[in-house]
Amino acid sequence: MRRESIAENLRNVRRGIAQAAESCGRNPSGIQLLAVSKTFPAEDVAFALDAGQFQFGENKIQEGQQKIPALALLGGAGRKPEWHLIGHLQSNKAAPAVELFDLIETLDSPRLAAKLEHQAAKRDKRQRVLIQINVGNEEQKSGIEADQAIDFAREVESADSLLLEGLMAIPPWDEDPERSRPHFRSMKRLFDEVCSALGRPLPTLSMGMSHDFAVAIEEGSTLVRVGTAIFGRRVRQVR
Ligand SMILES: *Cc1c(COP(=O)(O)O)cnc(C)c1O
């Protein structure tokens, strides 16, 4: 039951991504799907893996510490999942974050960059990161302010053990995706500005969730983070 419904939801989401891409003349293969497994058990991740989904997102270190090793045990000889951290990271948790996650999407301060650089260097790892932008200028939300993005990107770029792959944003919540469109659009503009300031194209602009990924794709997203539409509604609310 659970296995089939996750597989079917994945097919539907992939179809939605392809339709959104085609509707605006983009190649669907340029859009990655991150399955957000927070609050759901490792077994659900294993079902998604069996259905051909390999990128997963978690928002808490502690939950990652339980789920990610459990999956290494559950998972057979198949392809290894790739894990993204999509929740706020406190700098005192930099060590486990570097140990567990392939891509940290929520780099949001110079202090955290320094900690990640230090922890990655210690492990001889090049830690892939995205800079999180506070696109709605929300007081309670973490992220770099848009007008600081280029300076901060240059700083991250100069850190030997960090590999900057792009930007990530969570626009202010609105159930109407059309109202998020201007935020997605200004993120795409900022993304292009950062790429030209660095003099190289960055691969990843992470934006769009279950209810608004189609609009995010129309505005240039290259990675959508989808939880509810794949795994169902979360009982424990985490944000
Ligand atoms: C939970 C979460 C998502 C997924 O949200 P859904 O609405 O369930 O698709 C995406 N991005 C971030 C940062 C999240 O915390």
Side-chain angles (χ1 to χ4, degrees):
M1 257 308 279
R2 185 69 179 148
R3 173 188 290 279
E4 282 73 36
S5 77
I6 288 172
E8 189 188 344
N9 291 343
L10 274 166
R11 279 194 299 276
N12 288 334
V13 170
R14 290 197 192 109
R15 191 177 313 123
I17 290 171
Q19 279 168 354
E22 277 151 17
S23 80
C24 59
R26 295 185 58 196
N27 187 338
S29 69
I31 297 141
Q32 295 180 292
L33 170 61
L34 184 76
V36 177
S37 49
K38 65 189 184 197
T39 78
F40 292 99
E43 190 185 40
D44 284 353
V45 176
F47 291 151
L49 268 170
D50 287 345
Q53 174 63 35
F54 294 100
Q55 293 172 299
F56 296 91
E58 287 289 333
N59 70 336
K60 289 200 158 71
I61 294 295
Q62 232 188 345
E63 197 175 338
Q65 281 171 324
Q66 293 162 357
K67 209 176 292 182
I68 295 172
L71 249 125
L73 296 175
L74 269 184
R79 199 170 133 191
K80 255 186 61 178
E82 174 182 291
W83 291 95
H84 294 199
L85 180 66
I86 60 169
H88 176 66
L89 176 59
Q90 286 170 324
S91 29
N92 63 358
K93 301 249 176 77
V98 167
E99 259 158 35
L100 287 166
F101 289 94
D102 300 292
L103 177 63
I104 295 172
E105 295 202 13
T106 48
L107 174 51
D108 61 4
S109 73
R111 181 182 154 78
L112 179 59
K115 295 271 182 180
L116 291 175
E117 162 72 12
H118 177 70
Q119 293 297 336
K122 251 172 61 176
R123 291 166 178 77
D124 254 331
K125 180 180 182 184
R126 191 103 192 263
Q127 178 63 55
R128 298 161 56 204
V129 296
L130 304 182
I131 295 174
Q132 182 178 355
I133 304 293
N134 185 2
V135 66
N137 283 315
E138 291 175 283
E139 233 171 69
Q140 75 282 13
K141 213 172 258 176
S142 42
I144 298 285
E145 302 303 315
D147 59 4
Q148 308 288 313
I150 290 179
D151 285 347
F152 187 53
R154 287 204 173 102
E155 192 179 321
V156 175
E157 186 83 335
S158 72
D160 290 335
S161 300
L162 301 181
L163 180 59
L164 179 61
E165 293 196 347
L167 306 182
M168 176 272 210
I170 313 167
W173 169 258
D174 200 309
E175 62 183 352
D176 177 4
E178 282 304 327
R179 286 220 281 253
S180 299
R181 189 184 292 276
H183 293 298
F184 293 140
R185 190 165 292 177
S186 62
M187 274 303 297
K188 168 65 171 150
R189 203 178 309 127
L190 182 64
F191 180 69
D192 291 341
E193 284 169 12
V194 169
C195 291
S196 58
L198 297 181
R200 69 177 177 103
L202 297 168
T204 306
L205 177 56
S206 169
M207 56 187 195
M209 322 203 308
S210 289
H211 74 294
D212 60 8
F213 69 77
V215 172
I217 288 168
E218 287 163 16
E219 297 301 331
S221 170
T222 72
L223 186 149
V224 294
R225 310 176 305 263
V226 178
T228 309
I230 296 170
F231 295 107
R233 280 187 56 194
R234 289 177 291 275
V235 178
R236 168 160 70 80
Q237 261 313 325
V238 280
R239 268 263 133 159

